[in-house]
């Protein structure tokens, strides 16, 4: 039994009691029952609205799932690209740039628009130097 049905049941009980119309208690009971009717209708309307919102939210969730799939699939395709973490010396903002931007030698901070020089460290040369040092040690 929902609230509307319960309020109707209480109204029926009150009507079955054959109360005097002009009695103060009867007026109070009628006012309480009317208020219960209004509350029951309001709650019923709210429940309907919640169901509509849940349906809309489900649609949004499905759409978001499709977008995530598209975006993350694209990101997985881009995983082969090298990205470099850069910290702006002016404002401290940390951001990422792709390899192409890094090889250009400079970029602009997205937070403060400061121009930042990029110097790539060549890891391969360092490894070769280490190997040469090891060869020298063996002689």
């Amino acid at each position: 039994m929902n609230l509307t049905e319960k309020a109707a049941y209480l109204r029926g009980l009150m009507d079955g009691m054959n109360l005097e119309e002009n009695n103060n208690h009867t007026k109070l009971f009628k006012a309480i029952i009317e208020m219960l009717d209004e509350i029951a209708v309001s709650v019923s309307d709210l429940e309907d609205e919640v169901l509509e919102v849940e349906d809309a939210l489900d649609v949004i969730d499905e759409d978001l799932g499709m977008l995530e799939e598209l975006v993350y699939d694209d990101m997985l395709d881009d995983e082969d690209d090298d990205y470099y973490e850069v910290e702006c010396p002016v404002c401290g903002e940390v951001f990422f740039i792709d390899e192409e931007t890094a090889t250009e030698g400079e970029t602009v901070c997205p937070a403060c628009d400061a121009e930042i020089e990029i110097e790539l460290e060549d890891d391969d040369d360092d490894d070769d130097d280490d190997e040469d040092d090891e060869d020298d040690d063996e002689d």
Side-chain angles (χ1 to χ4, degrees):
M1 193 182 303
N2 64 32
L3 287 178
T4 307
E5 293 168 342
K6 288 179 181 179
Y9 174 74
L10 290 174
R11 179 178 294 283
L13 283 178
M14 186 188 74
D15 289 343
M17 294 176 68
N18 296 324
L19 300 173
E20 294 180 23
E21 291 292 324
N22 294 333
N23 186 337
N24 286 336
H25 292 113
T26 303
K27 291 178 183 177
L28 176 65
F29 287 143
K30 282 187 175 186
I32 290 172
I33 295 296
E34 286 176 19
M35 184 182 70
L36 287 174
D37 283 338
E38 290 176 17
I39 290 172
V41 169
S42 293
V43 169
S44 178
D45 290 346
L46 288 172
E47 288 172 340
D48 292 342
E49 289 179 24
V50 166
L51 290 174
E52 288 177 21
V53 169
E54 285 177 349
D55 291 342
L57 186 59
D58 287 342
V59 169
I60 291 170
D61 186 44
E62 289 173 11
D63 291 346
L64 180 60
M66 288 188 295
L67 285 174
E68 286 175 340
E69 198 172 294
L70 289 171
V71 168
Y72 290 130
D73 283 348
D74 287 347
M75 288 178 69
L76 290 175
D77 292 342
D78 290 343
E79 278 187 8
D80 296 337
D81 297 339
D82 289 331
Y83 288 93
Y84 299 93
E85 182 177 305
V86 178
E87 182 176 348
C88 177
V90 177
C91 69
E93 175 77 14
V94 175
F95 59 97
F96 293 89
I97 59 173
D98 61 11
E99 186 172 14
E100 182 180 334
T101 304
T103 57
E104 290 174 2
E106 66 180 32
T107 190
V108 176
C109 175
C112 69
D113 294 329
E115 290 188 19
I116 303 169
E117 282 190 38
I118 306 295
E119 294 181 22
L120 294 178
E121 297 175 3
D122 193 6
D123 292 336
D124 293 339
D125 290 343
D126 292 341
D127 292 342
D128 291 341
D129 290 343
D130 291 342
E131 288 175 9
D132 291 340
D133 291 342
E134 289 176 10
D135 291 340
D136 292 341
D137 291 339
E138 291 177 5
D139 292 331

